[in-house]
């Protein structure tokens, strides 16, 4: 019985040490992680608004396997100047194709007056209609936010 208690105390000590170490490493790295995330977001804004005139709108929509986060650049005339996928968990080789430049370029020049529908004015990725529709939905929402003046 004493051996079991001793082993339990040793295990508890290791758990406390591991948890403390993880908390310490988190405290040290969190500022750097946050700074890198802000820098990546600013870079995405520059990519979708190359002229710097207009507004970059971040939008998140449900995809096939999870949330798709994107940055949509909209010029001052209400037309899409660029789209960048910030994060996604779509199926590799299929839905993950939403990050490809050929797919995203289709949105350039589109406005809220366009249908923005996969298989209509946007060529869907073969085998990834849900993912393609999700990006269309995100771009449409960003355009609506731009028109309404919402942040």
């Amino acid at each position: 019985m004493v051996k079991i208690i001793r082993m339990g105390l040793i295990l508890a000590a290791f758990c406390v040490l591991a948890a403390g170490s993880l908390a310490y490493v988190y405290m040290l790295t969190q500022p750097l992680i946050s700074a890198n995330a802000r820098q990546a977001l600013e870079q995405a804004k520059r990519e979708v608004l190359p002229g710097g005139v207009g507004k970059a709108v971040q939008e998140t929509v449900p995809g096939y396997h999870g949330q798709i986060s994107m940055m949509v650049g909209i010029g001052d005339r209400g037309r899409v100047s660029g789209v960048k996928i910030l994060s996604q968990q779509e199926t590799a080789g299929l839905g993950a194709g939403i990050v490809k430049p050929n797919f995203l370029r289709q949105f350039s020049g589109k406005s809220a007056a366009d249908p923005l529908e996969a298989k209509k004015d946007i060529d869907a990725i073969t085998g990834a209609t849900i993912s393609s529709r999700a990006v269309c939905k995100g771009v449409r929402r960003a355009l609506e936010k731009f028109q309404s003046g919402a942040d």
Side-chain angles (χ1 to χ4, degrees):
M1 184 69 163
V2 173
K3 279 187 173 184
I4 292 174
I5 293 172
R6 189 178 301 145
M7 284 176 29
L9 290 174
I10 291 170
L11 182 59
F14 276 115
C15 288
V16 168
L17 183 63
S21 297
L22 283 172
Y24 180 71
V25 169
Y26 176 80
M27 283 179 13
L28 288 178
T29 58
Q30 184 55 35
L32 182 60
I33 292 169
S34 294
N36 286 341
R38 281 191 303 276
Q39 184 179 10
L41 204 55
E42 289 304 314
Q43 176 62 30
K45 287 178 183 179
R46 286 191 296 275
E47 286 180 33
V48 299
L49 274 176
V53 179
K55 185 175 183 180
V57 179
Q58 189 172 352
E59 192 61 52
T60 302
V61 292
Y64 184 71
H65 277 295
Q67 297 295 309
I68 299 171
S69 179
M70 65 189 77
M71 184 71 68
V72 181
I74 304 169
D76 59 350
R77 289 199 160 91
R79 297 201 172 272
V80 175
S81 59
V83 178
K84 179 170 178 69
I85 303 298
L86 303 174
S87 66
Q88 54 88 19
Q89 294 95 34
E90 301 304 278
T91 307
L94 291 173
I98 61 173
V99 302
K100 292 185 178 179
N102 286 342
F103 175 71
L104 295 175
R105 268 195 291 270
Q106 298 180 85
F107 295 96
S108 293
K110 301 286 185 184
S111 72
D114 292 302
L116 287 172
E117 289 183 41
K119 297 184 176 184
K120 281 196 176 180
D121 62 333
I122 300 294
D123 291 332
I125 296 168
T126 303
T129 305
I130 294 172
S131 303
S132 301
R133 285 181 180 151
V135 176
C136 290
K137 182 178 184 177
V139 172
R140 194 175 320 104
R141 278 190 193 170
L143 284 164
E144 289 167 359
K145 282 182 182 178
F146 177 82
Q147 281 189 323
S148 70
D151 283 331

